[in-house]
C-alpha cells in the first residue's frame, strides 16, 4: 500500500516523487520503472551533459518555445519556472552554468551529476524505487468509488495506492491504459528531427554552418534535385518559416532553424510523409531584388575578378562556390563576362534555393514526440486528470513538447512540481 505511485522512472517521475516527499513527509511514495535502469534519457540528454533548462525567466516568453502547450503552460510557469529549477539543483549541490545560447547545464558538464542528485534525494527521502516493474493495468480499487484509490498491476505484484502520477513520456502501452480510463490520446508523431536532402549543392560540404531563413512549401517539385536553375513549381503560400543557424550535414540539413520547423510542423510534415520542398534564403537580411542589384554593382566595380573566387557576401566560402556553380557560372567566368541570366540565377540561388526533402533523421538522442493526453483533459492548476479522479500527469505523457534547448525538461520539472503541490496538500 502506497499513498502515491509514480509510473515512470525518468526525469519527470523522479522530480515529482522528490517534490511530493519533500512537501509532505507523511506520504509513502514509490516509483515503478519498466526498465532495468532509471533516468536513462537523462543520461544521454544534451550530448551526455543534460541540458536541464533554458535561461528564459519570463513565463510569457518561455511558453513561446512550446508548439503544443503554449497557452496551457503560462499559468504553471508563473508557479514554477526556470529560476526555481536552478535553485532546486544548486541547493542540492549541483552548480549550474548558463551558456551563450541560453542553455543551462551542470558545471560538471556531466548528466551523471543530475542522476546522482535524484538518486541521493530518493534515498534520503525514503522513496521506494522499483526497477523491471512494467505496469500492465491501472484500475480503481472499487469501480464506482475513485476515492478508494487505484490498483496498479505489474508482473511482480499488484499495488494499491491512493493516487497515481503517470510520468512515462511517449509510451503507447500506457496511453492505451489511459484510454481505458476514458482519456483521449492525440496520436504521437516525431518532433525535433533533421531533414534528409540529397543535392549537389550541399553533399560535399557537411559541417558548414550559417544563418538562413528556411520556408516550407506544400508541393514537391517534379525534379528530385534542383541544382542548375531555380524552378518555379513552388510558389504557393508558405506553410512554415523559421530563421536561425542552419547546419549542413552528411544527410541533409540540421541546426536550430530546421529543428524549429520540425517541432512546429511535427503533425503537418508527418501528414506529408516527410516529402516536401524547402526554400532557403542564405542571406536572410537581404531581399532578392537587393541582392541582384548588389551583384550587378560588383560587375561594375570588380570586372576582372573571377566570380567563383571572389566571395563578396557573408556566407561560407564552400557554400558560395557551390551556389555559383549551381547558377551555371563556370569557374573561369569573370564578373565582366557574367550575363544578366547568370546574375539572376546567382541571386536566386542565394535567396531562393529550393531543396527537395525526402525523409527525416532523429536529432542526436532527442526522442521527442508531439502527441499524448489531450490537453483539454488536464487541469493545469494541479496536473490532475479531468477524466479520472486522483490520476495526475507529468512530462511528455501529455500533448506538450518543445524545441531543443532545455525546454522539454522544464516542462517536466514544472508539471512534476504542480502535481506534487496538489497531492501533498490533499495528503
Amino acid at each position: 500500500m502506497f499513498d502515491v505511485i509514480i509510473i515512470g522512472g525518468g526525469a519527470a517521475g523522479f522530480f515529482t516523487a522528490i517534490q511530493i516527499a519533500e512537501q509532505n513527509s507523511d506520504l509513502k511514495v514509490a516509483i515503478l520503472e519498466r526498465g532495468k535502469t532509471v533516468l536513462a534519457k537523462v543520461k544521454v540528454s544534451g550530448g551526455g551533459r543534460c541540458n536541464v533548462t533554458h535561461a528564459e525567466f519570463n513565463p510569457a516568453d518561455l511558453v513561446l518555445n512550446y508548439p503544443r502547450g503554449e497557452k496551457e503552460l503560462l499559468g504553471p510557469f508563473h508557479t514554477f519556472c526556470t529560476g526555481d529549477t536552478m535553485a532546486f539543483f544548486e541547493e542540492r549541490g549541483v552548480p549550474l552554468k548558463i551558456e551563450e545560447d541560453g542553455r543551462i547545464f551542470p558545471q560538471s558538464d556531466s548528466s551523471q551529476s543530475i542522476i546522482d542528485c535524484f538518486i541521493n534525494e530518493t534515498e534520503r527521502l525514503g522513496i521506494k524505487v522499483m526497477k523491471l516493474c512494467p505496469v500492465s493495468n491501472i484500475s480503481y480499487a472499487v469501480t464506482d468509488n475513485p476515492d478508494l484509490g487505484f490498483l496498479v498491476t505489474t508482473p511482480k505484484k499488484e499495488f494499491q495506492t491512493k493516487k497515481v502520477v503517470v510520468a512515462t513520456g511517449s509510451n503507447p502501452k500506457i496511453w492505451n491504459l489511459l484510454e481505458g480510463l476514458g482519456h483521449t490520446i492525440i496520436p504521437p508523431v516525431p518532433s525535433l528531427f533533421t531533414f534528409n536532402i540529397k543535392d549537389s549543392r550541399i553533399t560535399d560540404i557537411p559541417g558548414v554552418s550559417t544563418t538562413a531563413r528556411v520556408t516550407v512549401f506544400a508541393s514537391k517539385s517534379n525534379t528530385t534535385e534542383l541544382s542548375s536553375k531555380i524552378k518555379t513549381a513552388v510558389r504557393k503560400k508558405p506553410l512554415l518559416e523559421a530563421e536561425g543557424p542552419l547546419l549542413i550535414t552528411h544527410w541533409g540539413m540540421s541546426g536550430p532553424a530546421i529543428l524549429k520547423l520540425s517541432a512546429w510542423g511535427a503533425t503537418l510534415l508527418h501528414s506529408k510523409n516527410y516529402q516536401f520542398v524547402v526554400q532557403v534564403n542564405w542571406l536572410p537580411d537581404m531581399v532578392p531584388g537587393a541582392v541582384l542589384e548588389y551583384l550587378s554593382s560588383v560587375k561594375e566595380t570588380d570586372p576582372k575578378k573571377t566570380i567563383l573566387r571572389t566571395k563578396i557576401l557573408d556566407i561560407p566560402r564552400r557554400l558560395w562556390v557551390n551556389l555559383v556553380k549551381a547558377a551555371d557560372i563556370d569557374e573561369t567566368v569573370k564578373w565582366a563576362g557574367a550575363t544578366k541570366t547568370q546574375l539572376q540565377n546567382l541571386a536566386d540561388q542565394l535567396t531562393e534555393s529550393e531543396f527537395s526533402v525526402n525523409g527525416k533523421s532523429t536529432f542526436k538522442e532527442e526522442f521527442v514526440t508531439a502527441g499524448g493526453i489531450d490537453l483539454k483533459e488536464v487541469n493545469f492548476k494541479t496536473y490532475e486528470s479531468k477524466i479520472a479522479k486522483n490520476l495526475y500527469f507529468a512530462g511528455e505523457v501529455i500533448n506538450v513538447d518543445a524545441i531543443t534547448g532545455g525546454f522539454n525538461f522544464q516542462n517536466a520539472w514544472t508539471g512534476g512540481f504542480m502535481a506534487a503541490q496538489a497531492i501533498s496538500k490533499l495528503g
Side-chain angles (χ1 to χ4, degrees), residues 9-11 13-19 21-22 31 38-39 42-43 49-50 52 80 84-96 105-108 110-127 129 413:
F14 266 77
F15 192 83
T16 307
I18 291 166
Q19 289 292 337
E22 282 215 318
I31 298 173
V38 294
L39 300 163
V42 172
K43 181 73 174 176
R49 296 197 296 150
C50 192
V52 294
F80 192 92
D84 301 298
T85 297
M86 295 185 72
F88 172 87
F89 288 110
E90 292 181 339
E91 287 168 4
R92 288 160 181 79
V94 184
L96 304 176
F105 294 91
Q107 284 185 12
S108 65
S110 173
S111 57
Q112 194 61 44
S113 298
I114 305 301
I115 294 171
D116 291 344
C117 172
F118 283 155
I119 297 296
N120 291 339
E121 287 295 285
T122 54
E123 291 176 352
R124 178 180 70 85
L125 294 165
I127 297 166
V129 179
W413 314 141

Side-chain angles (χ1 to χ4, degrees), residues 140 146 150 164-166 178-179 181-184 373-394 398 419 422-423:
Y140 284 115
F150 293 91
V164 168
V165 180
V166 181
L178 295 173
E179 276 188 310
L181 291 171
H183 270 288
T184 303
I373 298 293
D374 192 328
L375 301 186
K376 295 192 295 291
E377 299 174 356
V378 181
N379 178 351
F380 281 90
K381 291 181 179 179
T382 60
Y383 278 70
E384 184 178 9
S385 164
K386 293 180 179 178
I387 305 297
K389 189 175 181 181
N390 295 322
L391 179 67
Y392 297 78
F393 305 110
I398 63 177
I423 291 169

